[in-house]
Amino acid sequence: MVENDERQMVNAEWQTVDRERRMGLGAYLRRVIERPRGWALSYLLTTGMALGPALLMTLAWAPLTRHPLFSQILATRSVDALSDFVMSGAGNGGGIWGTLALLLAFPIWVLARLIWTWLEGGTLAEYAAGQPLSWRAFAQAGWRWFGAFLTLNLLGAVLVGGVGGAALLLAVFVYMRSPALGWVIAGVGLALAGLIATWTEVARAVALTQNQRGVFQVLGAAARAMVRQALPLAALVGGGLALYGLLYLAHRWLVDLLPLHWWLPTLLIQQAYTIVRLGIRLARQAGQVGLVTALAAWYDTKAIMI
Amino acid sequence: MSNPKSKIQNLKSKIQNLKSKICCLWLALLCCVGLLRAPAPSLGQATVPPPDVASYTIVATYDPQTHMLTGQQTAMYHNHTTVPIPTLVFHLYLNAFRSAETLWLRESDLRLRGYSFDPNAPGWIRIDQIALADGTALTVKPLDDDETLVEVALPQPVAPGASVSVDIAFTAQFPKAFARTGWADGGDFIFGGQWFPKFGVWEEDERHGGAWNAYPFHANSEFYADFGRYDVALTLPQGWVVAATGTAAPTAKANADGTVTHTFSAEHVIDFAWTASPKYREMTRKVEGVDVRVVYYPRQRAMARRALQATAGALPLYHAWFGAYGKSLYPHLTVVIVPPDAGGAGGMEYPTLFTVGALGGMMPACVRMIEVEAVHELGHQWFQSVVATNEAEEPWLDESFTDYATIRAMNALYDGAIVECLGWNFSYLAMHRLQYIMYPDTPMAGAAWDFDSLQYGIATYSKPALALTTVERTVGEAAMQRFLSTYFDRYAFAHPRAEDVRAVMEETLGAEVTTWFFEQLVRGNATLDIRVVTLDEQATLEREGDLCIPTTVRVTRSGRQAPETLAWPCDTPTLTIDGAPRLVEIDPAGAIVLDRDLANNQLRRAPDPAAGAGLAVRWLRFWQDFLWGGAVW
């Protein structure tokens, strides 16, 4: 009985959506920093899981650093050196460590995606909630939305892959006859794939704010939300994309300045880039929660007026 | 009393003196005018070329609906040898495309560079009438089954030093463009290459006396022709933009029937090509005193700008390395960007004109295929258009210098990279290495038809370009410069053979380089792999293959000591270095790009821990991205 009450309390905790308070988008974006649990967990878990195969691959390839040409490939990203190295057979195989890393790649990737899906439930619930969640509520939100979010992720992947792949094939086919049209089709395909990815992402925010786990209902509601909030959503996604692009260029520029042997500064820059990039993604998702919440509040007001 | 002869002599001397003074004044005036004018770079001293051998006056009308051309041609051949010419031989190249059964199409498997022959749009050429200038009718006899080569018997041989002139009426059907020449874009584009009856080359040698150097048209083969003057009047529908080979400004005259006749003239050239389309746009730029004109389709503006930029970048380089463009006799240069469905007409050189766009449509800016194509075809303006070697019998001669120049120009203009995307770079030289190492023992010498298409690529492009790059890096840029400019200067407007190149190389670079270049690479099948075999307490280095190029070895014993450089002569197959070196690098300057395997040229005694740490950092980032979903943001 006590346990049941506690669960209800916990549920109430993450179900408290700031609908009445009509918070601005900025407030939701700030929650990424104010409630950094999701951000930190995502980074730590990804990095932790990446460390294993990264070390295995390093062990596999470390003997290759006897060949200065190999170091040149890493340092200058020279396809010239790479082709000479590959053709020479000097880089053949990665030994037992490389094989192990390759064998582990897929299971680790699946596990990482599942953990991410679970984390997404807790993280988005925390951004949607009036108060920061307790660890328990965070975990429970993760479990509660796990099934729905996983379905949405799979559906999104199939749709993005299908539409993107078909557009790419069509673009290649058309490119043979009319290159300009081929590029247009590729561009449209890319935009469509981006739109679908955003759609499934907004659907997660809709599911959470409307406490709705029916995938098709939330996809419908997400489509309506995207139309209603088209401009702010475009600003959110476009702004995030632009920021991401700038960040990528800055990071690339910095890393390219560093010689291969300066591994520590490279590590710091690359990890800082990874952390900030993760922050941009979470900010976009928090913003989507904010936009969907604002829309729900608007619907509520409309209902009261009627 | 003075002698009248001496008076005349005196007078002559005074006149001569006066002439010199006037000449000096005139030169000074020219200099002043030159100084006052905008500082256009000088064209340099124009060469006086030898007399023209094969000259043509052609009046032709092209019908874009039927893709047919009817022409009237007066062709004049001057016998510059000491042997009388009993017959005339003409190439009728377009007949190579008259059916899928021709030698050319059988050899090529119906395609060239990925573009296929359309049997519904063949090409052919027919001599309707041929007669001497006095009206004596002549008879045409085919020399091959496809009639790509025909012979015309003359009533009288052409005596040494004399000329013969024939009037030819001909009809040509252009194929749909897939191999250099033809129409595309539903008829709105035409490229006229190898389109008129063209003389072979009458040559004299010790063994045969005099003979025509001309072969049936083979798939791998390009061309060989004498220098001459071309006066061409082309009639096309109104509104068509025409570009062609030319050394003088073209003129256009509207006709009453709604057509326009474009007149071109070109002196001291080996061929005449033209292109036309109602859709062409153009851009121009003056570079080193040369008027560069680019014609392109409206949607290819960006491509045209890139080609112009590359051309404008490479022209001064070639000018400095080899000599003035056209030995200062060609004031114009036309770059044709072929439309996407005419890629087969792209990537080809003609005097004062070349085409780009062999790969079809637009490439992203980081893929410099348009640039490399322009830089390469521009190089042919020196090595083929002016130094006119025989592309059928010795195809490596022009491609070697052109592709070597392309590598060097790409290095100067783009850091060598033909691809520079997302921080990864790939050079034109490395592209050649990838092809070369498939059959590194292919000799460069050989007629075009001696090779299959892959070996043709290796023998004429990759291996010679790498070989000349190795020569340059072995002898140094200054010596190479001497070799190149002497060769170009000596054989401008001539037909040098491999032996002539050899003589210039020996004269400018010495016997050692010439021997390994000609004996082992041009005619021989020698290859080389220099490598570090083991490195523990001592290093063992091995030289495998007969190619004898001396090199050096850099040995680093510790971080505190300066590296030591050892000479490694080519008669020492194995080298042992004691004292547990930390790092051994063979050919540290990277001169021998002909080495079959460059990866085994250097070795450390132990793995490099800092590079290992750098590797770990990169792997971590890779796996983070992979687990996170990679590019999905």
Side-chain angles (χ1 to χ4, degrees), chain A residues 24-304:
Chain A
L25 189 61
Y28 282 94
L29 298 181
R30 277 196 300 278
R31 282 181 180 174
V32 176
I33 297 167
E34 289 163 1
R35 302 171 188 183
R37 179 172 21 206
W39 193 356
L41 283 178
S42 303
Y43 172 73
L44 290 174
L45 280 170
T46 313
T47 307
M49 293 178 85
L51 266 174
L55 286 174
L56 287 177
M57 288 309 293
T58 305
L59 283 173
W61 282 20
L64 300 181
T65 60
R66 284 190 75 194
H67 299 274
L69 198 69
F70 179 74
S71 304
Q72 194 191 327
I73 299 167
L74 297 178
T76 62
R77 273 178 287 164
S78 160
V79 182
D80 295 16
L82 180 67
S83 60
D84 277 321
F85 200 73
V86 170
M87 298 301 279
S88 127
N92 269 354
I96 182 78
W97 302 117
T99 313
L100 195 59
L102 288 175
L103 285 175
L104 286 175
F106 185 66
I108 290 183
W109 182 80
V110 171
L111 189 64
R113 300 311 303 170
L114 292 175
I115 291 175
W116 260 83
T117 307
W118 176 78
L119 272 176
E120 228 167 12
T123 307
L124 293 190
E126 185 154 52
Y127 295 156
Q131 300 289 325
L133 301 184
S134 65
W135 281 99
R136 193 168 176 187
F138 184 92
Q140 271 198 339
W143 289 123
R144 176 173 168 76
W145 297 109
F146 184 75
F149 281 15
L150 188 65
T151 313
L152 280 169
N153 278 345
L154 287 172
L155 201 64
V158 169
L159 285 173
V160 168
V163 171
L168 189 69
L169 282 178
L170 185 66
V172 170
F173 180 73
V174 171
Y175 183 88
M176 311 280 185
R177 282 146 189 82
S178 167
L181 193 60
W183 283 113
V184 169
I185 291 172
V188 169
L190 193 69
L192 263 178
L195 198 69
I196 293 168
T198 308
W199 182 32
T200 54
E201 210 172 67
V202 172
R204 292 198 280 271
V206 169
L208 201 128
T209 51
Q210 295 185 3
N211 199 16
Q212 171 64 264
R213 284 190 287 189
V215 169
F216 293 104
Q217 287 94 323
V218 294
L219 279 171
R224 285 192 294 278
M226 283 173 78
V227 174
R228 286 268 175 206
Q229 299 277 39
L231 275 179
L233 187 64
L236 190 68
V237 175
L241 198 61
L243 205 59
Y244 180 33
L246 286 174
L247 185 73
Y248 173 80
L249 291 177
H251 139 266
R252 192 74 271 165
W253 178 73
L254 277 170
V255 169
D256 284 351
L257 285 179
L258 301 174
L260 179 67
H261 290 182
W262 290 25
W263 60 271
L264 189 59
T266 308
L267 177 73
L268 294 176
I269 290 168
Q270 288 196 338
Q271 291 311 302
Y273 163 70
T274 303
I275 290 167
V276 178
R277 189 169 64 154
L278 199 56
I280 292 172
R281 179 194 165 102
L282 293 174
R284 186 179 72 237
Q285 289 185 309
Q288 285 165 352
V289 169
L291 289 178
V292 171
T293 307
L295 190 66
W298 180 80
Y299 278 129
D300 289 351
T301 317
K302 210 172 148 194
I304 290 164

Side-chain angles (χ1 to χ4, degrees), chain B residues 234 240 242 249-255 259-264:
Chain B
L234 285 168
W240 282 55
V242 189
T251 60
K253 194 182 124 219
N255 303 316
T259 60
V260 175
T261 300
H262 303 262
T263 309
F264 301 89

Side-chain angles (χ1 to χ4, degrees), chain B residues 479 482-487 489-491 499-515 518:
Chain B
R482 241 181 357 260
F483 163 57
L484 295 169
S485 55
T486 306
Y487 173 54
D489 206 46
R490 193 167 295 168
Y491 291 104
E499 285 314 307
D500 301 314
V501 181
R502 184 184 179 131
V504 176
M505 189 182 262
E506 192 153 359
E507 176 189 325
T508 53
L509 302 181
E512 188 185 309
V513 172
T514 310
T515 303
F518 275 90

